Amino acid sequence: MCGILAILGTEQKLDTTLVQQLSKRMSHRGPDESDLHITEKGHFLSHERLSIVDLKNGKQPIQGTSSAWMVHNGEIYNHQKLRETILKHHTFRTTSDSEVIVHLYEEFGYEFCDMLDGIFAFVVIDGDDFIAGRDPLGVKPLYYGKDAAGRLYFASEMKSIADQCESFEAFPPGHYYTPKTGFVKYYQPKWEDESLAVEKLDLQAIRETLTEAVRKRLMSDVPIGVLLSGGLDSSLTSSIASRLLKEVDGQRLRSFSIGLDATAPDAIAARDVAEFLGTEHHEIHFTIEEGIEILDKLIWHLETYDVTSIRASTPMYFLSKAITDMGIKVVLSGEGSDEIFGGYLYFRNAPSVADFQKETIERVQRLSTADLLRADKSTMAHGLEARVPFLDKAFLELAIKIQPEEKMPKTYDDIEKYILRKAFDTPEKPYLPDSVLWRQKEQFSDGVGYNWIDQLIEYCASQVSDKEFAQAAVVFPYNTPVTKEAFFYRTIFHKHFPQESAAKTVRKWIPKWQINQDPSGRANAAHVNADTTIAVIAEKAIA
């Protein structure tokens, strides 16, 4: 995991010191080492490195066989297989997983992104030719823009290019870009066609494919931990990883959870899972005051004003710092499962099976603007890499194409993500205690302690006057905030990123099919501790 910056264009000379400064705005992404390469044609490639594979020699930018150079942020899980097969006649300079990218370019030109099994944002430059690409779902962030001189910029974070470019956007997931082709959508999975969701349920296949997805993501030359909220997704990931590590060399998995205190719903459940699995468990606490205090810095890191992303990123930000302080650089996380299996409580209100399936597909497609953005930027704020097994390409192809009737709750009282729970309900060798395996969905920002969201809403409302909020549409005509909480976040975002292009990179996460559109899970009447008045302040403000 790293931060990358590429600037292409030689019409006007660019100051090297400026390029280094722009790259250093992302130094939190790669605290281990930094390097800059200027090609013979005058293009810039800069890299802030978090060393995970090939700790000694994996420094970037990396040169290919001859004139091509590359920078990469992410992990290529099948790099060894590529080296041993289609690239076996190539001579490599490192054992880094990243290096296969430049060799694939040399071997196949532009048509190689689908050969990569992993997560990535990369730029390869060869003379004046180049290719930039982003992984299928956008697990790794990437932005692109153009300055007044016509130079093209590519960067892991918006903050490195926002004040340099006349306009910029988020690079679309599953695409590559070249000067000859423009954007090309290389990732075109069958699961994007909702009419192909006709596969019969195979619980064993779900179990085996997810296990293999976790196995791939244990690739590392540094210690690995797990984010363990005590919810189904992180608990399953932890259980599978714990089994695999014990099989290999008897390693004991390290798990991490966070809450306002020891009585937080997630903290209690995580403790039960850790004890059941025998992990080395660490429980972190934060106060509401501490959370409010870091909102400004957090929004600078996140580069979003989306309400649910900010609510959930605050505890993740504190947890990530605690993890890196313990010397861990890589964690597994459970993002993606709720989108694949319709796990959010509002899914039970879907008006039809077709609507249910369509919503799962759209949620997966938009993950880069929501949970994946949160997971990457709140962890990488402290140089911590998050890996997401549920978004493995093979698992997606299997799980999304299952007949939606199997996923959709049959009655209003049915537990969500039933088939995922059933796949790992193995009494002979249980993966999880029943209390966790069949626990109702608890969204992360709720699970750390219900007071977190309640008091956050109140605090934000106290910081925005009625007079200020009445001008919301004038001050922010694009994506106008509809609550005082949203207005407060938007004001902070605008301070750091005043460009219109910046505002347009953000997509708001809003639940469907429920009267109260607050993103908290407790705002849904189906929640075991429902509080459908949770957004009463917001509703009064709108009225």
PDB file of all heavy atoms in Angstrom, residues 446-473:
ATOM      1  N   ASP A 446     -22.996   2.664  14.527  1.00  0.00           N
ATOM      2  CA  ASP A 446     -23.902   2.394  15.648  1.00  0.00           C
ATOM      3  C   ASP A 446     -23.242   1.473  16.667  1.00  0.00           C
ATOM      4  O   ASP A 446     -23.360   1.675  17.882  1.00  0.00           O
ATOM      5  CB  ASP A 446     -25.188   1.725  15.154  1.00  0.00           C
ATOM      6  CG  ASP A 446     -26.092   2.668  14.377  1.00  0.00           C
ATOM      7  OD1 ASP A 446     -26.236   3.819  14.807  1.00  0.00           O
ATOM      8  OD2 ASP A 446     -26.646   2.246  13.346  1.00  0.00           O
ATOM      9  N   GLY A 447     -22.568   0.462  16.156  1.00  0.00           N
ATOM     10  CA  GLY A 447     -22.038  -0.591  17.026  1.00  0.00           C
ATOM     11  C   GLY A 447     -20.978  -0.133  18.001  1.00  0.00           C
ATOM     12  O   GLY A 447     -20.754  -0.777  19.029  1.00  0.00           O
ATOM     13  N   VAL A 448     -20.287   0.970  17.707  1.00  0.00           N
ATOM     14  CA  VAL A 448     -19.261   1.453  18.638  1.00  0.00           C
ATOM     15  C   VAL A 448     -19.886   2.076  19.885  1.00  0.00           C
ATOM     16  O   VAL A 448     -19.183   2.385  20.843  1.00  0.00           O
ATOM     17  CB  VAL A 448     -18.322   2.482  17.965  1.00  0.00           C
ATOM     18  CG1 VAL A 448     -17.583   1.846  16.806  1.00  0.00           C
ATOM     19  CG2 VAL A 448     -19.083   3.722  17.502  1.00  0.00           C
ATOM     20  N   GLY A 449     -21.191   2.269  19.851  1.00  0.00           N
ATOM     21  CA  GLY A 449     -21.910   2.879  20.972  1.00  0.00           C
ATOM     22  C   GLY A 449     -22.968   3.813  20.437  1.00  0.00           C
ATOM     23  O   GLY A 449     -22.671   4.715  19.659  1.00  0.00           O
ATOM     24  N   TYR A 450     -24.222   3.605  20.824  1.00  0.00           N
ATOM     25  CA  TYR A 450     -25.322   4.376  20.251  1.00  0.00           C
ATOM     26  C   TYR A 450     -25.192   5.874  20.519  1.00  0.00           C
ATOM     27  O   TYR A 450     -25.652   6.702  19.731  1.00  0.00           O
ATOM     28  CB  TYR A 450     -26.657   3.862  20.788  1.00  0.00           C
ATOM     29  CG  TYR A 450     -26.984   2.444  20.363  1.00  0.00           C
ATOM     30  CD1 TYR A 450     -27.774   1.625  21.159  1.00  0.00           C
ATOM     31  CD2 TYR A 450     -26.494   1.934  19.161  1.00  0.00           C
ATOM     32  CE1 TYR A 450     -28.075   0.318  20.777  1.00  0.00           C
ATOM     33  CE2 TYR A 450     -26.789   0.637  18.771  1.00  0.00           C
ATOM     34  CZ  TYR A 450     -27.577  -0.171  19.584  1.00  0.00           C
ATOM     35  OH  TYR A 450     -27.866  -1.448  19.195  1.00  0.00           O
ATOM     36  N   ASN A 451     -24.551   6.238  21.617  1.00  0.00           N
ATOM     37  CA  ASN A 451     -24.404   7.659  21.934  1.00  0.00           C
ATOM     38  C   ASN A 451     -23.543   8.403  20.922  1.00  0.00           C
ATOM     39  O   ASN A 451     -23.628   9.629  20.833  1.00  0.00           O
ATOM     40  CB  ASN A 451     -23.796   7.835  23.334  1.00  0.00           C
ATOM     41  CG  ASN A 451     -24.811   7.602  24.429  1.00  0.00           C
ATOM     42  OD1 ASN A 451     -26.012   7.591  24.167  1.00  0.00           O
ATOM     43  ND2 ASN A 451     -24.336   7.407  25.644  1.00  0.00           N
ATOM     44  N   TRP A 452     -22.698   7.678  20.216  1.00  0.00           N
ATOM     45  CA  TRP A 452     -21.791   8.341  19.273  1.00  0.00           C
ATOM     46  C   TRP A 452     -22.581   9.142  18.242  1.00  0.00           C
ATOM     47  O   TRP A 452     -22.383  10.343  18.070  1.00  0.00           O
ATOM     48  CB  TRP A 452     -20.878   7.322  18.597  1.00  0.00           C
ATOM     49  CG  TRP A 452     -20.152   7.847  17.389  1.00  0.00           C
ATOM     50  CD1 TRP A 452     -20.181   7.339  16.133  1.00  0.00           C
ATOM     51  CD2 TRP A 452     -19.280   8.993  17.324  1.00  0.00           C
ATOM     52  NE1 TRP A 452     -19.398   8.083  15.276  1.00  0.00           N
ATOM     53  CE2 TRP A 452     -18.835   9.111  15.986  1.00  0.00           C
ATOM     54  CE3 TRP A 452     -18.855   9.939  18.249  1.00  0.00           C
ATOM     55  CZ2 TRP A 452     -17.985  10.136  15.560  1.00  0.00           C
ATOM     56  CZ3 TRP A 452     -18.001  10.954  17.829  1.00  0.00           C
ATOM     57  CH2 TRP A 452     -17.578  11.040  16.503  1.00  0.00           C
ATOM     58  N   ILE A 453     -23.495   8.509  17.538  1.00  0.00           N
ATOM     59  CA  ILE A 453     -24.257   9.213  16.510  1.00  0.00           C
ATOM     60  C   ILE A 453     -25.208  10.236  17.134  1.00  0.00           C
ATOM     61  O   ILE A 453     -25.327  11.372  16.647  1.00  0.00           O
ATOM     62  CB  ILE A 453     -25.029   8.211  15.622  1.00  0.00           C
ATOM     63  CG1 ILE A 453     -24.047   7.447  14.724  1.00  0.00           C
ATOM     64  CG2 ILE A 453     -26.062   8.945  14.768  1.00  0.00           C
ATOM     65  CD1 ILE A 453     -24.699   6.441  13.820  1.00  0.00           C
ATOM     66  N   ASP A 454     -25.876   9.853  18.206  1.00  0.00           N
ATOM     67  CA  ASP A 454     -26.836  10.763  18.829  1.00  0.00           C
ATOM     68  C   ASP A 454     -26.179  12.084  19.215  1.00  0.00           C
ATOM     69  O   ASP A 454     -26.680  13.173  18.902  1.00  0.00           O
ATOM     70  CB  ASP A 454     -27.444  10.111  20.072  1.00  0.00           C
ATOM     71  CG  ASP A 454     -28.241   8.861  19.741  1.00  0.00           C
ATOM     72  OD1 ASP A 454     -28.548   8.661  18.546  1.00  0.00           O
ATOM     73  OD2 ASP A 454     -28.536   8.085  20.664  1.00  0.00           O
ATOM     74  N   GLN A 455     -25.030  12.002  19.880  1.00  0.00           N
ATOM     75  CA  GLN A 455     -24.382  13.222  20.346  1.00  0.00           C
ATOM     76  C   GLN A 455     -23.665  13.958  19.214  1.00  0.00           C
ATOM     77  O   GLN A 455     -23.520  15.179  19.262  1.00  0.00           O
ATOM     78  CB  GLN A 455     -23.415  12.901  21.487  1.00  0.00           C
ATOM     79  CG  GLN A 455     -24.149  12.416  22.724  1.00  0.00           C
ATOM     80  CD  GLN A 455     -23.284  12.407  23.970  1.00  0.00           C
ATOM     81  OE1 GLN A 455     -22.395  13.234  24.134  1.00  0.00           O
ATOM     82  NE2 GLN A 455     -23.552  11.458  24.855  1.00  0.00           N
ATOM     83  N   LEU A 456     -23.239  13.212  18.200  1.00  0.00           N
ATOM     84  CA  LEU A 456     -22.621  13.852  17.046  1.00  0.00           C
ATOM     85  C   LEU A 456     -23.642  14.725  16.313  1.00  0.00           C
ATOM     86  O   LEU A 456     -23.348  15.863  15.919  1.00  0.00           O
ATOM     87  CB  LEU A 456     -22.052  12.788  16.105  1.00  0.00           C
ATOM     88  CG  LEU A 456     -21.195  13.272  14.937  1.00  0.00           C
ATOM     89  CD1 LEU A 456     -19.984  14.062  15.431  1.00  0.00           C
ATOM     90  CD2 LEU A 456     -20.740  12.076  14.101  1.00  0.00           C
ATOM     91  N   ILE A 457     -24.841  14.203  16.136  1.00  0.00           N
ATOM     92  CA  ILE A 457     -25.909  14.976  15.492  1.00  0.00           C
ATOM     93  C   ILE A 457     -26.192  16.248  16.291  1.00  0.00           C
ATOM     94  O   ILE A 457     -26.310  17.348  15.734  1.00  0.00           O
ATOM     95  CB  ILE A 457     -27.192  14.126  15.358  1.00  0.00           C
ATOM     96  CG1 ILE A 457     -26.987  12.991  14.346  1.00  0.00           C
ATOM     97  CG2 ILE A 457     -28.375  14.995  14.927  1.00  0.00           C
ATOM     98  CD1 ILE A 457     -28.147  12.013  14.281  1.00  0.00           C
ATOM     99  N   GLU A 458     -26.280  16.099  17.602  1.00  0.00           N
ATOM    100  CA  GLU A 458     -26.566  17.255  18.451  1.00  0.00           C
ATOM    101  C   GLU A 458     -25.443  18.293  18.382  1.00  0.00           C
ATOM    102  O   GLU A 458     -25.692  19.497  18.315  1.00  0.00           O
ATOM    103  CB  GLU A 458     -26.765  16.801  19.895  1.00  0.00           C
ATOM    104  CG  GLU A 458     -28.047  16.013  20.124  1.00  0.00           C
ATOM    105  CD  GLU A 458     -28.224  15.619  21.584  1.00  0.00           C
ATOM    106  OE1 GLU A 458     -27.464  16.149  22.429  1.00  0.00           O
ATOM    107  OE2 GLU A 458     -29.093  14.787  21.870  1.00  0.00           O
ATOM    108  N   TYR A 459     -24.201  17.816  18.408  1.00  0.00           N
ATOM    109  CA  TYR A 459     -23.068  18.744  18.362  1.00  0.00           C
ATOM    110  C   TYR A 459     -23.063  19.535  17.055  1.00  0.00           C
ATOM    111  O   TYR A 459     -22.919  20.765  17.059  1.00  0.00           O
ATOM    112  CB  TYR A 459     -21.741  17.995  18.509  1.00  0.00           C
ATOM    113  CG  TYR A 459     -20.551  18.887  18.248  1.00  0.00           C
ATOM    114  CD1 TYR A 459     -20.096  19.766  19.220  1.00  0.00           C
ATOM    115  CD2 TYR A 459     -19.903  18.871  17.008  1.00  0.00           C
ATOM    116  CE1 TYR A 459     -19.022  20.604  18.972  1.00  0.00           C
ATOM    117  CE2 TYR A 459     -18.830  19.710  16.755  1.00  0.00           C
ATOM    118  CZ  TYR A 459     -18.393  20.571  17.736  1.00  0.00           C
ATOM    119  OH  TYR A 459     -17.346  21.420  17.485  1.00  0.00           O
ATOM    120  N   CYS A 460     -23.212  18.830  15.945  1.00  0.00           N
ATOM    121  CA  CYS A 460     -23.183  19.503  14.640  1.00  0.00           C
ATOM    122  C   CYS A 460     -24.309  20.526  14.528  1.00  0.00           C
ATOM    123  O   CYS A 460     -24.120  21.631  13.998  1.00  0.00           O
ATOM    124  CB  CYS A 460     -23.281  18.487  13.516  1.00  0.00           C
ATOM    125  SG  CYS A 460     -21.850  17.394  13.385  1.00  0.00           S
ATOM    126  N   ALA A 461     -25.485  20.169  15.049  1.00  0.00           N
ATOM    127  CA  ALA A 461     -26.614  21.098  14.999  1.00  0.00           C
ATOM    128  C   ALA A 461     -26.326  22.357  15.811  1.00  0.00           C
ATOM    129  O   ALA A 461     -26.747  23.464  15.433  1.00  0.00           O
ATOM    130  CB  ALA A 461     -27.877  20.415  15.519  1.00  0.00           C
ATOM    131  N   SER A 462     -25.574  22.194  16.894  1.00  0.00           N
ATOM    132  CA  SER A 462     -25.256  23.348  17.731  1.00  0.00           C
ATOM    133  C   SER A 462     -24.242  24.282  17.077  1.00  0.00           C
ATOM    134  O   SER A 462     -24.109  25.438  17.479  1.00  0.00           O
ATOM    135  CB  SER A 462     -24.704  22.875  19.081  1.00  0.00           C
ATOM    136  OG  SER A 462     -23.378  22.370  18.949  1.00  0.00           O
ATOM    137  N   GLN A 463     -23.519  23.766  16.064  1.00  0.00           N
ATOM    138  CA  GLN A 463     -22.489  24.555  15.401  1.00  0.00           C
ATOM    139  C   GLN A 463     -23.001  25.304  14.169  1.00  0.00           C
ATOM    140  O   GLN A 463     -22.269  26.089  13.569  1.00  0.00           O
ATOM    141  CB  GLN A 463     -21.329  23.635  14.968  1.00  0.00           C
ATOM    142  CG  GLN A 463     -20.659  22.903  16.107  1.00  0.00           C
ATOM    143  CD  GLN A 463     -20.099  23.846  17.154  1.00  0.00           C
ATOM    144  OE1 GLN A 463     -19.242  24.677  16.850  1.00  0.00           O
ATOM    145  NE2 GLN A 463     -20.594  23.735  18.378  1.00  0.00           N
ATOM    146  N   VAL A 464     -24.255  25.044  13.795  1.00  0.00           N
ATOM    147  CA  VAL A 464     -24.828  25.671  12.603  1.00  0.00           C
ATOM    148  C   VAL A 464     -26.097  26.418  13.011  1.00  0.00           C
ATOM    149  O   VAL A 464     -27.062  25.810  13.493  1.00  0.00           O
ATOM    150  CB  VAL A 464     -25.158  24.618  11.523  1.00  0.00           C
ATOM    151  CG1 VAL A 464     -25.772  25.290  10.300  1.00  0.00           C
ATOM    152  CG2 VAL A 464     -23.912  23.828  11.148  1.00  0.00           C
ATOM    153  N   SER A 465     -26.108  27.706  12.804  1.00  0.00           N
ATOM    154  CA  SER A 465     -27.287  28.492  13.169  1.00  0.00           C
ATOM    155  C   SER A 465     -28.400  28.295  12.145  1.00  0.00           C
ATOM    156  O   SER A 465     -28.156  27.866  11.004  1.00  0.00           O
ATOM    157  CB  SER A 465     -26.929  29.977  13.241  1.00  0.00           C
ATOM    158  OG  SER A 465     -26.660  30.492  11.941  1.00  0.00           O
ATOM    159  N   ASP A 466     -29.619  28.628  12.547  1.00  0.00           N
ATOM    160  CA  ASP A 466     -30.740  28.537  11.611  1.00  0.00           C
ATOM    161  C   ASP A 466     -30.521  29.461  10.415  1.00  0.00           C
ATOM    162  O   ASP A 466     -30.865  29.121   9.277  1.00  0.00           O
ATOM    163  CB  ASP A 466     -32.042  28.921  12.324  1.00  0.00           C
ATOM    164  CG  ASP A 466     -32.445  27.899  13.370  1.00  0.00           C
ATOM    165  OD1 ASP A 466     -31.951  26.757  13.308  1.00  0.00           O
ATOM    166  OD2 ASP A 466     -33.259  28.247  14.264  1.00  0.00           O
ATOM    167  N   LYS A 467     -29.931  30.619  10.679  1.00  0.00           N
ATOM    168  CA  LYS A 467     -29.666  31.576   9.605  1.00  0.00           C
ATOM    169  C   LYS A 467     -28.671  31.011   8.598  1.00  0.00           C
ATOM    170  O   LYS A 467     -28.862  31.121   7.385  1.00  0.00           O
ATOM    171  CB  LYS A 467     -29.137  32.879  10.191  1.00  0.00           C
ATOM    172  CG  LYS A 467     -28.889  33.977   9.164  1.00  0.00           C
ATOM    173  CD  LYS A 467     -28.409  35.253   9.825  1.00  0.00           C
ATOM    174  CE  LYS A 467     -28.154  36.352   8.782  1.00  0.00           C
ATOM    175  NZ  LYS A 467     -27.667  37.610   9.434  1.00  0.00           N
ATOM    176  N   GLU A 468     -27.621  30.375   9.099  1.00  0.00           N
ATOM    177  CA  GLU A 468     -26.620  29.766   8.214  1.00  0.00           C
ATOM    178  C   GLU A 468     -27.246  28.633   7.396  1.00  0.00           C
ATOM    179  O   GLU A 468     -27.039  28.530   6.187  1.00  0.00           O
ATOM    180  CB  GLU A 468     -25.453  29.224   9.035  1.00  0.00           C
ATOM    181  CG  GLU A 468     -24.551  30.280   9.617  1.00  0.00           C
ATOM    182  CD  GLU A 468     -23.517  29.688  10.552  1.00  0.00           C
ATOM    183  OE1 GLU A 468     -23.881  28.780  11.346  1.00  0.00           O
ATOM    184  OE2 GLU A 468     -22.350  30.121  10.495  1.00  0.00           O
ATOM    185  N   PHE A 469     -28.027  27.808   8.080  1.00  0.00           N
ATOM    186  CA  PHE A 469     -28.602  26.648   7.396  1.00  0.00           C
ATOM    187  C   PHE A 469     -29.624  27.067   6.341  1.00  0.00           C
ATOM    188  O   PHE A 469     -29.786  26.404   5.317  1.00  0.00           O
ATOM    189  CB  PHE A 469     -29.248  25.714   8.411  1.00  0.00           C
ATOM    190  CG  PHE A 469     -29.691  24.404   7.817  1.00  0.00           C
ATOM    191  CD1 PHE A 469     -28.768  23.494   7.325  1.00  0.00           C
ATOM    192  CD2 PHE A 469     -31.039  24.091   7.740  1.00  0.00           C
ATOM    193  CE1 PHE A 469     -29.180  22.295   6.763  1.00  0.00           C
ATOM    194  CE2 PHE A 469     -31.455  22.891   7.181  1.00  0.00           C
ATOM    195  CZ  PHE A 469     -30.518  21.990   6.689  1.00  0.00           C
ATOM    196  N   ALA A 470     -30.305  28.183   6.571  1.00  0.00           N
ATOM    197  CA  ALA A 470     -31.283  28.682   5.600  1.00  0.00           C
ATOM    198  C   ALA A 470     -30.626  29.054   4.279  1.00  0.00           C
ATOM    199  O   ALA A 470     -31.289  29.093   3.230  1.00  0.00           O
ATOM    200  CB  ALA A 470     -32.018  29.889   6.176  1.00  0.00           C
ATOM    201  N   GLN A 471     -29.310  29.290   4.303  1.00  0.00           N
ATOM    202  CA  GLN A 471     -28.572  29.661   3.097  1.00  0.00           C
ATOM    203  C   GLN A 471     -27.862  28.464   2.452  1.00  0.00           C
ATOM    204  O   GLN A 471     -27.010  28.640   1.574  1.00  0.00           O
ATOM    205  CB  GLN A 471     -27.534  30.734   3.447  1.00  0.00           C
ATOM    206  CG  GLN A 471     -28.139  32.061   3.880  1.00  0.00           C
ATOM    207  CD  GLN A 471     -28.957  32.695   2.771  1.00  0.00           C
ATOM    208  OE1 GLN A 471     -28.485  32.877   1.654  1.00  0.00           O
ATOM    209  NE2 GLN A 471     -30.208  33.020   3.078  1.00  0.00           N
ATOM    210  N   ALA A 472     -28.195  27.260   2.879  1.00  0.00           N
ATOM    211  CA  ALA A 472     -27.486  26.065   2.409  1.00  0.00           C
ATOM    212  C   ALA A 472     -27.474  25.958   0.888  1.00  0.00           C
ATOM    213  O   ALA A 472     -26.435  25.682   0.278  1.00  0.00           O
ATOM    214  CB  ALA A 472     -28.109  24.809   3.020  1.00  0.00           C
ATOM    215  N   ALA A 473     -28.613  26.199   0.250  1.00  0.00           N
ATOM    216  CA  ALA A 473     -28.689  26.056  -1.207  1.00  0.00           C
ATOM    217  C   ALA A 473     -27.903  27.137  -1.936  1.00  0.00           C
ATOM    218  O   ALA A 473     -27.450  26.932  -3.065  1.00  0.00           O
ATOM    219  CB  ALA A 473     -30.142  26.076  -1.657  1.00  0.00           C
TER     220      ALA A 473
END
